[in-house]
């Protein structure tokens, strides 16, 4: 099924999020899978030229003389067999009001360019707020040797891939600029038509770019390139300044290490800097949500403790609001006793509110200084909780980096040194004392310490940190086992964080360009009336400023009917154990099988890594159905766009207006029915839907969502019908016979059956004599099988209201 068909679900189904994903992480998977293999693989000697700049067309609008001078100098540069380049790079990432910066200086020497004996030596200094780090590397014959501080590493490395990670020798392509002109001693490149391919990520939106080059005696001696672009929900600005000179200062072969038994063998040394950048990013963030799940086991304490926490922070130091919802369950190892604790806290303005278990909430008022101190203290505690389980590069025993499209996933293991650090975390959780068992122990033995960290490419924003730890303390001759599983999902710079804390949307300004969605009035021969409104389950500010005709009809209606009231349904789940069991049965397999039993092995292994990136992989996730994983990945992509959100979906807006007016909200379907529908998909269909989620990049998904949303806002009935029909026709033409059967299964469950049931509900409202505002996914209204045509066929007059 193509991406549009899956995106059309935003016009069809108000599906629940995978809210039951909870618990602690499993051991990371180690197998390599096609399309998600580590970057580091051994290869044949490199024979390609050291450049990633594309060939330049023979025609260009730039002045031919200066462009030709530059191209000639570039050709001379690329013909050199040895060269030294020194590059200074600065980067600024802005997410909402958050700004993260880094600078680095790198000296790279190339020897035997274009030959089979290529050697590359680099000396890099990376300056972050958490410190300054020096990384020395030598590449030769399919091997990359690295040293950071006193720690040495070795990894097999594909030469071509390694070169793509380096700043290219020639930074600029004249064909990408409107003007190439001489200013003083520099050739200036201005009026960017496109970003340099090596610097602009695929799917990024170029904001600006320019550059310059200095030539001396026909040789390229210096370059500068500045680019800014939007990537996901982040604005990224980079500045490159490099100087070049032919030859190298030393015999690079002498830098290739001999056999070094102390060097740590890694699958990818890229992990070294990714871990540092993830920790550095955490020191800047103020608008962030933490989803913390942990399990601690201690024989010494004779108990198992499970913790869950959702903490949300929004704003800046002087103006921050927060909420923190913490719960823990403590079981003795015999399983005979259980102790539950719940704590809810919030700080909004200068009012601190807290509630313990089911006791009455209490409030305190603070002055500005105390409020700031409280907010900062809470935030620092959560940041430290993340930093505590991110290992420093020197702690690594093994590490692999997996390229997961828009994200990089680091899977690692560590030794005893970091084990003692994590042990303090586990002891603090269990005893509130960091070194209690270590101080009492005669000896300590680490069993396992593995974890993973995922970051967004280019911005280095982390999305999850997870760790699995097990060790033993021998006290008076007896080994006491201690273990910890912890997973912290991170949502950074998410505008919905404000709503998570306050249950209100941020104040909105009326947009210049408003939505004008399709809207119908249905009437019968005896004066029956129904308002029919097609919704989309995501939105922005425009869903809050609909045409007045829609609001007039809504306000005049006796009741609002939606697919189902998800807020009310979630409240029901909390208070009805039987309903909770039914919902869990839709999410989870009930036959003792796991998701691994229902997926092909390569699909399963890839899906695990993608689910890790979302921050939602845990033990319980293994028991979930594939449709839950697919929804989790797509909802994660949507949140990462930081533009459209489900909280601003028109359904939620209408339900909020109904509550303000104390208007009855009715369910056309039910949350239980929607979950049962998706849980009823065959294994083959669920795998196909999951594979589609895995095979769609974040950019492709967000582009599709945005396109669909703009089409909904336009209210062009004919264009909407045509687009939906064309998508179906195109999709069917590309499917095999087996895939057509799966398509029909999906179409029948998602549209045909539901449309029949919705028609019966709508006719019931019309016959009741009440006027109901009937708001369901737009795709249920349009086309041959839609409600508009079905109601007309049933004898009702359906009129499109033009605004």
């Amino acid at each position: 099924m193509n991406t549009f068909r899956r995106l059309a679900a935003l016009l069809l189904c108000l599906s629940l999020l995978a809210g039951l994903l909870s618990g602690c992480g499993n051991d990371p998977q180690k197998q390599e899978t096609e399309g998600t293999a580590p970057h580091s693989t051994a290869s044949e000697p490199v024979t390609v030229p050291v450049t990633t700049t594309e060939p330049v067309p023979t025609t260009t609008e730039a002045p031919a003389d200066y462009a030709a001078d530059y191209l000639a100098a570039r050709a001379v540069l690329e013909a050199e067999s040895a060269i030294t380049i020194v590059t200074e790079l600065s980067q600024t990432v802005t997410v909402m009001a958050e700004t993260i910066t880094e600078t680095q200086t790198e000296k790279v020497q190339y020897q035997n360019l274009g030959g089979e004996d290529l050697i590359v030596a680099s000396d890099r200094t990376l300056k972050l707020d958490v410190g300054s780090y020096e990384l020395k590397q030598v590449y030769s014959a399919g091997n990359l040797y690295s040293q950071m501080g006193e720690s040495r590493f070795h990894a097999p490395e594909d030469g071509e891939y390694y070169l793509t990670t380096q700043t290219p020798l020639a930074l600029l392509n004249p064909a990408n600029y409107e003007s190439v002109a001489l200013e003083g001693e520099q050739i200036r490149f201005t009026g960017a038509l496109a970003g340099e391919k090596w610097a602009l990520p695929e799917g990024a939106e170029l904001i600006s770019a320019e550059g310059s080059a200095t030539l001396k005696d026909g040789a390229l001696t210096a370059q500068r390139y500045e680019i800014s672009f939007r990537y996901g929900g982040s604005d990224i600005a980079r500045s490159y300044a490099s100087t070049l000179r032919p030859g190298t200062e030393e015999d690079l072969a002498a830098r290739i290490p001999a056999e070094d038994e102390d060097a740590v063998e890694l699958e990818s040394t890229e992990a070294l800097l990714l871990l540092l950048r993830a920790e550095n990013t955490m020191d800047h963030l103020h608008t962030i949500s933490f989803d913390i799940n942990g399990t601690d086991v201690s024989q010494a304490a004779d108990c198992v403790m499970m913790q869950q926490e959702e903490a949300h922070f929004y704003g800046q130091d002087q103006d921050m609001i927060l909420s923190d919802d913490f719960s823990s369950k403590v079981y003795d190892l015999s399983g005979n006793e259980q102790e539950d604790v719940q704590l809810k806290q919030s700080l909004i303005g200068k009012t601190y509110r807290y509630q313990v278990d089911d006791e009455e909430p209490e409030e305190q008022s603070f002055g500005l200084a105390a409020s700031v101190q409280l907010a900062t203290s809470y935030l620092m505690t959560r940041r430290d909780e993340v930093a505590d389980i991110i290992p420093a590069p020197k702690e690594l025993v093994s590490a692999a980096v997996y390229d997961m499209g828009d994200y990089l996933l680091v899977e690692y293991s560590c030794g005893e040194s970091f084990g003692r650090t994590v042990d303090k975390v586990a002891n603090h959780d269990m005893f509130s004392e960091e070194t209690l068992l270590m101080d009492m122990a005669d000896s300590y033995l680490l069993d396992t310490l593995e974890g993973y960290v995922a970051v967004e490419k280019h911005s280095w924003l982390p999305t999850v940190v997870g760790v699995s730890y097990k060790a033993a303390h021998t006290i008076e001759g007896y080994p006491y086992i201690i273990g910890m599983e912890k997973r912290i999902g991170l949502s950074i710079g998410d505008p919905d964080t404000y709503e998570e804390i306050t249950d209100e949307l941020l104040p909105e300004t009326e947009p210049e360009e408003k939505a004008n969605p399709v809207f119908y009035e249905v009437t019968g021969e005896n004066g029956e009336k129904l308002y029919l409104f097609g919704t989309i389950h995501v939105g922005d500010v425009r869903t809050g400023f609909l045409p007045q005709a829609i609001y007039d009809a809504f306000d005049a209606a006796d009741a609002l009917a939606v697919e189902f009231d998800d807020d009310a349904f979630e409240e029901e789940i909390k208070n009805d154990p039987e309903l909770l069991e039914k919902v869990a049965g839709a999410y989870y397999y009930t036959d003792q099988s796991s998701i691994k039993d229902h997926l092909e092995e390569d699909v399963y292994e890839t899906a695990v890594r993608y689910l890790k990136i979302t921050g939602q992989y845990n033990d319980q996730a293994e028991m979930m159905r594939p449709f839950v994983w697919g929804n989790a990945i797509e909802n994660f992509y949507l949140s990462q766009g930081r533009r459209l959100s489900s909280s601003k979906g028109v359904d939620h807006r209408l339900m909020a207006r109904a509550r303000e007016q104390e208007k009855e909200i009715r369910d056309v379907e039910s949350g239980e029915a929607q979950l049962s529908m998706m849980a009823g998909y065959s294994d083959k269909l669920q795998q196909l839907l999951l594979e589609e989620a895995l095979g769609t990049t974040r950019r492709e998904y967000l582009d599709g969502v945005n396109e669909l949303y703009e089409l909904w806002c336009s209210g062009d009935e004919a264009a909407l019908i045509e687009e939906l029909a064309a998508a179906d026709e195109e999709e069917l033409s590309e499917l095999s016979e087996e895939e057509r059967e799966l398509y029909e299964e999906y179409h029948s469950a998602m549209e045909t059956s539901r449309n029949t049931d919705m028609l019966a509900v709508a006719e019931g409202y019309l016959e009741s004599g009440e006027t109901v505002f009937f708001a369901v996914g737009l795709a249920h209204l349009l086309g041959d099988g839609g409600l508009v045509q079905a109601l007309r066929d049933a004898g009702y007059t359906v009129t499109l209201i033009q605004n």
Side-chain angles (χ1 to χ4, degrees), residues 36-327:
T36 61
H39 286 158
S40 51
T41 53
S43 69
E44 296 299 318
V46 177
T47 59
V48 298
V50 187
T51 177
T52 60
T53 321
E54 64 275 21
V56 180
T58 57
T59 59
T60 176
E61 295 182 7
D65 51 356
Y66 300 120
D69 289 345
Y70 175 79
L71 293 175
R74 192 176 77 173
V76 171
L77 173 68
E78 294 172 348
E80 295 282 356
S81 64
I83 195 165
T84 299
I85 179 171
V86 177
T87 302
E88 294 183 2
L89 166 65
S90 63
Q91 172 168 295
T92 300
V93 177
T94 303
V95 188
M96 293 182 64
E98 315 281 7
T99 300
I100 304 102
T101 61
E102 73 169 58
T103 60
Q104 69 178 33
T105 302
E106 185 173 24
K107 176 182 176 182
V108 185
Q109 300 179 76
Y110 297 91
Q111 185 174 298
N112 300 325
L113 277 171
E116 294 185 358
D117 300 323
L118 172 69
I119 303 176
V120 184
S122 68
D123 298 279
R124 180 186 305 183
T125 299
L126 180 66
K127 293 183 179 179
L128 306 170
D129 289 311
V130 293
S132 180
Y133 303 89
E134 292 187 358
L135 175 64
K136 298 179 181 292
Q137 292 185 312
V138 179
Y139 169 80
S140 175
N143 291 287
L144 183 62
Y145 307 91
S146 304
Q147 181 170 346
M148 181 175 284
E150 298 300 318
S151 301
R152 297 183 298 281
F153 307 92
H154 169 254
E157 185 64 272
D158 177 83
E160 292 189 30
Y161 173 76
Y162 175 71
L163 292 177
T164 66
T165 67
Q166 303 299 306
T167 304
L169 300 182
L171 301 183
L172 304 164
N173 176 8
N176 288 334
Y177 304 88
E178 289 182 346
S179 174
V180 180
L182 186 65
E183 293 185 12
E185 296 182 350
Q186 293 183 335
I187 299 176
R188 295 270 296 166
F189 297 74
T190 57
L193 303 171
E196 304 295 341
K197 288 186 177 180
W198 59 269
L200 186 67
E202 184 177 355
E205 175 188 349
L206 177 66
I207 298 174
S208 65
E210 63 176 20
S212 65
T214 303
L215 276 59
K216 184 176 181 181
D217 299 328
L220 190 58
T221 60
Q223 299 169 99
R224 181 185 61 82
Y225 182 56
E226 295 181 358
I227 183 171
S228 62
F229 55 88
R230 187 163 184 80
Y231 184 76
S234 305
D235 290 319
I236 302 177
R238 289 176 177 168
S239 176
Y240 301 82
S242 63
T243 58
L244 307 95
R245 56 181 179 272
T248 57
E249 298 176 351
E250 58 185 299
D251 180 10
L252 300 186
R255 293 186 58 171
I256 301 173
E259 289 289 333
D260 187 351
E261 295 181 357
D262 294 329
V264 177
E265 181 80 20
L266 301 179
E267 290 186 63
S268 174
T269 54
E270 191 175 7
L272 305 176
L273 297 183
L274 291 178
L275 294 173
L276 290 173
R277 283 167 164 149
E279 183 178 353
N280 180 67
T281 300
M282 296 304 302
D283 276 359
H284 290 269
L285 302 171
H286 296 83
T287 296
I288 182 172
S289 295
F290 299 81
D291 178 15
I292 304 170
N293 288 270
T295 300
D296 297 88
V297 180
S298 174
Q299 283 186 313
D302 195 36
C303 70
V304 176
M305 180 171 67
M306 301 180 67
Q307 297 175 301
Q308 287 185 286
E309 185 172 8
E310 286 189 16
H312 306 280
F313 299 84
Y314 183 91
Q316 292 294 324
D317 289 328
Q318 300 299 315
D319 185 19
M320 184 184 296
I321 60 175
L322 66 88
S323 66
D324 193 350
D325 190 348
F326 170 86
S327 66

Side-chain angles (χ1 to χ4, degrees), residues 584-657:
Y587 275 108
Y588 295 91
Y589 289 109
T590 57
D591 57 1
Q592 305 304 311
S593 66
S594 70
I595 192 171
K596 190 174 184 178
D597 300 320
H598 297 263
L599 295 175
E600 295 174 5
E601 185 176 359
D602 60 336
V603 176
Y604 166 78
E605 291 172 352
T606 302
V608 165
R609 293 197 170 99
Y610 269 96
L611 202 65
K612 282 182 178 178
I613 289 168
T614 71
Q616 298 182 79
Y617 180 75
N618 51 66
D619 285 334
Q620 293 186 30
E622 285 288 332
M623 302 298 113
M624 288 183 168
R625 301 176 192 271
F627 85 86
V628 183
W629 284 28
N631 281 353
I633 292 168
E634 291 175 349
N635 288 326
F636 173 73
Y637 282 166
L638 184 63
S639 71
Q640 292 289 289
R642 302 183 181 91
R643 178 190 166 192
L644 301 176
S645 68
S646 57
S647 65
K648 293 181 182 178
V650 72
D651 322 76
H652 287 158
R653 301 267 201 185
L654 293 176
M655 285 188 279
R657 189 179 183 94

